[in-house]
């Protein structure tokens, strides 16, 4: 048969892509991160759920940790810089008597000591010493960069990494239950040293504080060593678990309906003091112009004084973040289109 008489070859037919999700409006989503996922994994899932690649998060959670991960969509990603700096609240379990390479349960055991004689009264002094403004040495497997490379990457490459102490603030370090380690069957997959103790705590701290470093330092102060076995973030600034949704709930969102989000104005109210704008002020700010300085509403714990103020229009939309500079208030970020 003449090759020219052969039937023309056709390219393999690829299955048609499924319908694209409608793009979510600009806003924040508070995710209850599950254990075993990185914060980047959550963002990757949220990009599909939100129908856009413009998604980011405010503050990394380790894979073993669960709880509040604030995710920004669209223009709300511009707010994340400020959310990252908000104070955070955690519920955690510290295991006394076992030291690990990573200061948490994901590392290899370095040393084991008998902590069975440690009492609640013994904890008071070391806990007080780790409360307030302290100098904390981060874990060597943290994401802090050393000469342009993450510390944890250097550790995995076999380097000895010593990080400098940095100032952090622990405003609360509350001790709850103290019990023999392993009493709760679901807590451990491996045998637990007989002399180990588990201490349940609540920590409220500034951005940049490592709770696993607190666990390490608490154990060191008691002379028995310690590490973190459980960590759940319950609040970031004005966002808490009450307003969080699980990934399963978000993945179950209807494919043909835009994802429901916390609107920009509501997100800003949870992060900043608020200034209610007049219509002329809103119009001026939308063009990047300054307006006359005025005090904002009273700051809250979630929205302290001294930072930017959220300018809200009479229609209830976020116009801009602004800062008082002498007699004028100047826009820092403008959200409303001119």
């Amino acid at each position: 048969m003449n090759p020219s008489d052969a039937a023309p070859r056709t390219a393999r037919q690829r299955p048609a892509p499924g319908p694209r999700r409608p793009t979510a409006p600009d806003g924040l989503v508070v995710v209850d991160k599950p254990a075993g996922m990185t914060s980047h994994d959550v963002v990757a899932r949220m990009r599909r759920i939100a129908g856009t690649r413009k998604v980011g998060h405010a503050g990394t959670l380790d894979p073993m940790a669960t709880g509040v991960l604030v995710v920004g969509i669209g223009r709300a990603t511009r707010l994340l810089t400020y959310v990252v700096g908000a104070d955070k609240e955690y519920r955690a379990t510290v295991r006394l008597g076992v030291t690990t390479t990573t200061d948490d349960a994901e590392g290899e055991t370095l040393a084991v000591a008998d902590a069975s004689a440690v009492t609640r009264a013994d904890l008071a002094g070391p806990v007080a010493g780790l409360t307030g403004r302290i100098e904390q040495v981060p874990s060597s497997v943290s994401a802090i960069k050393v000469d342009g490379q993450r510390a944890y990457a250097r550790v995995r490459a076999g380097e000895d990494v010593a990080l400098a102490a940095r100032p952090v603030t622990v405003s609360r370090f509350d001790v709850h239950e103290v019990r023999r380690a392993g009493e709760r069957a679901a807590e451990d997959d491996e045998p637990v040293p007989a002399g180990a103790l588990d201490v349940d705590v609540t920590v409220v701290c500034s951005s940049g504080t490592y709770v696993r470093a607190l666990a390490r330092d608490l154990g060191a102060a008691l002379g028995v060593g310690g590490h973190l076995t459980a960590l759940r973030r319950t609040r970031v600034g004005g966002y808490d678990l009450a307003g969080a949704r699980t990934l399963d709930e978000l993945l179950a969102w209807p494919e043909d309906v835009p994802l429901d989000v916390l609107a920009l104005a509501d997100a800003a109210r949870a992060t900043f003091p608020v200034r209610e704008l007049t219509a002329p002020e809103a119009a001026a700010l939308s063009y990047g112009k300054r307006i006359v300085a005025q005090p904002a509403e009273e700051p809250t714990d979630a929205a302290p004084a001294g930072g930017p103020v959220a300018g809200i229009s009479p229609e209830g939309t976020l116009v801009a973040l602004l800062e008082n500079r002498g007699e004028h208030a100047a826009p820092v970020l403008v959200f409303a289109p001119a």
Side-chain angles (χ1 to χ4, degrees):
M1 181 175 66
N2 190 320
S4 62
D5 296 331
R9 298 179 64 183
T10 59
R12 181 187 298 178
Q13 295 294 319
R14 293 183 179 179
R20 185 177 181 275
R21 275 186 185 262
T23 302
D26 301 328
L28 297 184
V29 177
V30 183
V31 180
D32 186 350
K33 187 189 90 66
M37 294 185 71
T38 65
S39 299
H40 180 74
D41 292 336
V42 174
V43 167
R45 298 283 183 91
M46 289 300 300
R47 284 176 175 150
R48 179 182 177 279
I49 295 169
T52 176
R53 292 197 57 78
K54 196 170 183 181
V55 177
H57 69 80
T60 301
L61 275 176
D62 291 335
M64 69 166 274
T66 66
V68 173
L69 184 70
V70 180
V71 174
I73 297 170
R75 290 184 299 162
T77 55
R78 302 170 74 189
L79 293 174
L80 296 180
T81 299
Y82 301 96
V83 179
V84 167
D87 69 331
K88 299 168 178 66
E89 180 179 272
Y90 298 90
R91 292 201 302 265
T93 299
V94 177
R95 177 155 296 168
L96 298 176
V98 182
T99 305
T100 72
T101 54
T102 58
D103 302 328
D104 63 21
E106 295 187 330
E108 298 177 4
T109 298
L110 286 175
V112 175
D114 186 355
S116 59
V118 175
T119 66
R120 177 180 289 273
D122 294 329
L123 294 169
V127 165
L130 293 169
T131 304
R133 187 168 175 82
I134 63 173
E135 293 287 326
Q136 183 184 70
V137 177
S139 171
S140 61
V141 291
S142 68
I144 294 172
K145 286 188 176 181
V146 179
D147 295 331
Q149 190 175 11
R150 301 290 185 186
Y152 62 73
R154 290 182 173 274
V155 171
R156 289 170 184 167
E159 295 184 35
D160 289 328
V161 176
L163 298 175
R166 34 202 275 173
V168 298
T169 300
V170 178
S171 51
R172 278 181 57 199
F173 194 165
D174 299 337
V175 175
H176 304 303
E177 184 178 2
V178 180
R179 62 185 185 280
R180 182 173 58 84
E183 280 187 352
R184 298 175 182 170
E187 287 182 330
D188 294 283
D189 298 325
E190 299 179 3
V192 179
L197 287 181
D198 281 349
V199 181
D200 294 331
V201 301
T202 294
V203 173
V204 178
C205 54
S206 62
S207 177
T209 305
Y210 288 87
V211 181
R212 54 188 157 147
L214 291 177
R216 174 201 67 203
D217 294 344
L218 178 61
L222 291 163
V224 296
H227 71 282
L228 198 68
T229 62
L231 183 66
R232 182 161 176 75
R233 189 155 68 190
T234 54
R235 182 178 60 80
V236 175
Y239 312 99
D240 59 24
L241 284 172
R245 287 177 279 178
T246 66
L247 265 184
D248 286 342
E249 291 171 334
L250 293 164
L251 288 167
W253 194 262
E255 293 278 347
D256 57 345
V257 178
L259 181 66
D260 184 31
V261 303
L262 185 67
L264 282 173
D266 294 330
R269 289 182 185 277
T271 307
F272 306 96
V274 170
R275 175 171 170 177
E276 301 291 349
L277 304 170
T278 65
E281 288 172 338
L285 286 171
S286 70
Y287 283 96
K289 296 181 178 180
R290 298 183 303 168
I291 60 176
V292 176
Q294 286 183 2
E297 294 178 359
E298 284 297 316
T300 66
D301 291 339
V309 169
I312 306 295
S313 75
E315 294 75 30
T317 61
L318 175 63
V319 178
L321 301 184
L322 55 153
E323 288 181 340
N324 285 339
R325 298 171 183 173
E327 297 180 351
H328 293 90
V332 179
L333 282 175
V334 176
F335 292 88

